[in-house]
Amino acid sequence: MNATRIRAALLAGVRALGLSVASVAVSCVLFSLTLLSLVLVGIGVGVFTTPVVLGWVRAWADHRRRLAGAWSDVRIDVPYRALPADIRSGVTGQVERTSLMLKDPATWRDLQWLFVDLSAGAVTALVPGLTLWYWLYGLVIAAGLWREFERSGGEWYLFVPVHSQFTGILALALGLALLALGLRYNTTLLQAHFRLAKCFLAPTKEASLALRVAKLTETRHDALDTSAAELRRIERDLHDGAQARLVAMGMNLGTIEALIEKDPAKAKKLIAVARASSAEALTELRDLVRGIHPPVLAERGLGDAVRALALRLPIETEVTVDLPGRSEAPVESAAYFAVSEVLTNAVKHSGADRIWVDLHHAGTGRDGVIRVSVTDNGHGGARIGAGSGLSGVERRLGTFDGVLAVSSPAGGPTMVTMEIPCASC
């Protein structure tokens, strides 16, 4: 057994001991408070206390979800129904908030989990810790504590009755066997604790489907709003740019037609002006087309399009691409503009002098995804929030059932990770 595995087993044991204590203490308190608050609903007091207590329960459950992913790679999705905007902002009363939270099936599953966590959950978390430390008790017994047990009529070390030196040595041997098992299986045992929690904290199939439908409905509206805004932008750019230049060029051509025989020199100057206007109009049209769907993206694919995008940045940018092939055009377009927005944010706000872009395909078949990470060495502090560019990226990816994750501690670095499902890539 190598040193890395031993360290992982020891760390799992320490974490498991902490979880066992927290499971009994915090879950027991929250379970009791929830029951008390629900009883008080009947006399009106619970209408004010229940949302607060359930908020604590959800925060505790979310904390366990994060630990499951960070400590054992057990992903537990959040199942809660989104509250309406007026409820979240506090415009409506406590009765509506309490009613909506109690109607959410995830609330009752959280309550079941609290009970399981303070009982079976505490036991499953305690086992990995005992395997690492219980052998010390066996060592003390074998070292002489067995004599005290002999005087008092004997003691049990698990299933070994201790009443002599021999049985004390048996207790130590059993403790060492538990230690060996712990060093080998502690990470698996800790994972079992989180899988037990997942049975209650993860959304059911029906809830997952409902959340997915709600999410897709929301992103569909966002996509429609974005498309309408994009059409208005295109119309405005055409009206203020290329169209104005083409109108001016038409007027110049009319003047040229009138002057070509009377004043050829002036007509020649106007022809030069018209030629320059046509070139500028063509450039603006090309820029407009590039903003809709870059030609390099259509002709050479996502990888080369991102490389071309990086070349135009004022910051040194390193791009790594590992894509086995092309994906659907809408997916490539969404990924391209998402990367473009993230890079623009990094250039404007990060204060970085270097950016790294990693673009690759992960998974197989229907589980395949395009995964993009954009990292900069700036001052950090990037957040997904109302009005930020990252919120727009999140909405764009949500249309394709994609996800966005941001890691940006104060002082940097900032890493923005995007994933878009892509079965055909």
Side-chain angles (χ1 to χ4, degrees):
M1 185 178 298
N2 57 37
T4 301
R5 189 165 184 174
I6 292 176
R7 284 195 299 269
L10 293 173
L11 182 59
V14 172
R15 287 171 169 173
L17 276 178
L19 280 175
S20 64
V21 174
S23 295
V24 173
V26 181
S27 294
C28 184
V29 170
L30 289 176
F31 184 76
S32 302
L33 288 176
T34 304
L35 292 182
L36 178 61
S37 185
L38 292 176
V39 170
L40 293 177
V41 169
I43 60 175
V45 178
V47 172
F48 299 95
T49 60
T50 298
V52 176
V53 174
L54 291 182
W56 294 342
V57 171
R58 292 185 176 189
W60 177 235
D62 284 338
H63 177 66
R64 190 62 59 89
R65 292 185 182 97
R66 289 190 295 270
L67 292 183
W71 289 357
S72 294
D73 292 328
V74 177
R75 179 179 175 180
I76 306 177
D77 294 324
V78 178
Y80 308 118
R81 295 174 181 173
L83 295 175
D86 57 346
I87 296 289
R88 293 196 302 269
S89 61
V91 175
T92 58
Q94 290 293 321
V95 175
E96 290 82 356
R97 179 186 293 271
T98 303
S99 176
L100 288 174
M101 295 184 78
L102 292 180
K103 288 179 180 178
D104 190 345
T107 296
W108 301 101
R109 288 174 62 80
D110 281 352
L111 195 59
Q112 296 174 36
W113 168 72
L114 287 176
F115 179 76
V116 171
D117 193 50
L118 63 88
S119 53
V123 173
T124 57
L126 184 62
V127 169
L130 288 180
T131 59
L132 290 184
W133 311 112
Y134 198 54
W135 70 275
L136 293 174
Y137 183 42
L139 178 62
V140 172
I141 291 174
L145 186 61
W146 64 269
R147 294 186 178 88
E148 296 297 325
F149 295 156
E150 184 182 31
R151 297 190 190 99
S152 61
E155 182 63 57
W156 289 85
Y157 181 87
L158 293 181
F159 54 83
V160 175
V162 179
H163 50 73
S164 64
Q165 179 68 63
F166 176 71
T167 54
I169 293 175
L170 286 181
L172 175 59
L174 178 58
L176 293 175
L178 288 176
L179 174 62
L181 290 174
L183 293 176
R184 184 172 183 84
Y185 296 110
N186 260 6
T187 53
T188 303
L189 292 173
L190 182 60
Q191 190 177 67
H193 168 84
F194 288 120
R195 292 196 179 279
L196 175 63
K198 184 176 182 178
C199 294
F200 297 90
L201 295 182
T204 61
K205 290 183 179 180
E206 294 80 5
S208 296
L209 182 59
L211 290 171
R212 181 176 173 83
V213 170
K215 180 66 175 178
L216 291 177
T217 301
E218 180 184 355
T219 55
R220 182 189 66 181
H221 291 313
D222 289 338
L224 291 175
D225 293 341
T226 302
S227 298
E230 187 69 10
L231 288 174
R232 289 193 296 270
R233 182 189 68 82
I234 293 170
E235 181 181 7
R236 184 178 63 252
D237 289 348
L238 284 173
H239 181 272
D240 297 341
Q243 178 178 321
R245 294 189 184 281
L246 291 173
V247 169
M249 186 173 63
M251 295 174 63
N252 285 336
L253 289 175
T255 304
I256 291 168
E257 187 178 11
L259 293 175
I260 195 166
E261 294 181 358
K262 298 179 181 179
D263 193 347
K266 190 172 183 179
K268 187 175 181 180
K269 292 179 181 179
L270 290 176
I271 289 173
V273 172
R275 184 186 298 112
S277 296
S278 67
E280 291 174 357
L282 182 59
T283 299
E284 290 182 354
L285 287 173
R286 284 174 175 169
D287 292 340
L288 185 62
V289 170
R290 186 179 293 111
I292 299 171
H293 193 79
V296 66
L297 180 62
E299 296 169 4
R300 303 182 60 178
L302 180 60
D304 286 339
V306 172
R307 289 191 181 100
L309 185 64
L311 290 175
R312 298 198 298 269
L313 296 179
I315 298 176
E316 181 181 356
T317 304
E318 179 181 333
V319 180
T320 303
V321 178
D322 183 14
L323 295 176
R326 299 290 299 271
S327 59
E328 300 90 341
V331 172
E332 286 192 336
S333 180
Y336 173 83
F337 285 108
V339 173
S340 176
E341 180 69 22
V342 172
L343 289 175
T344 300
N345 285 345
V347 171
K348 288 182 177 179
H349 307 297
S350 70
D353 58 19
R354 190 161 187 187
I355 301 174
W356 296 266
V357 180
D358 181 73
L359 176 64
H360 65 277
H361 182 264
T364 57
R366 293 186 177 182
D367 295 328
V369 295
I370 291 178
R371 183 174 295 146
V372 188
S373 64
V374 179
T375 307
D376 66 66
N377 62 352
H379 50 63
R383 295 289 183 271
I384 301 176
S388 73
L390 292 177
S391 297
V393 174
E394 187 177 41
R395 289 193 299 271
R396 181 189 292 272
L397 297 180
T399 306
F400 297 86
D401 209 15
V403 295
L404 173 73
V406 179
S407 173
S408 184
T414 295
M415 174 180 284
V416 179
T417 304
M418 298 164 280
E419 288 188 357
I420 305 178
C422 173
S424 63
C425 175

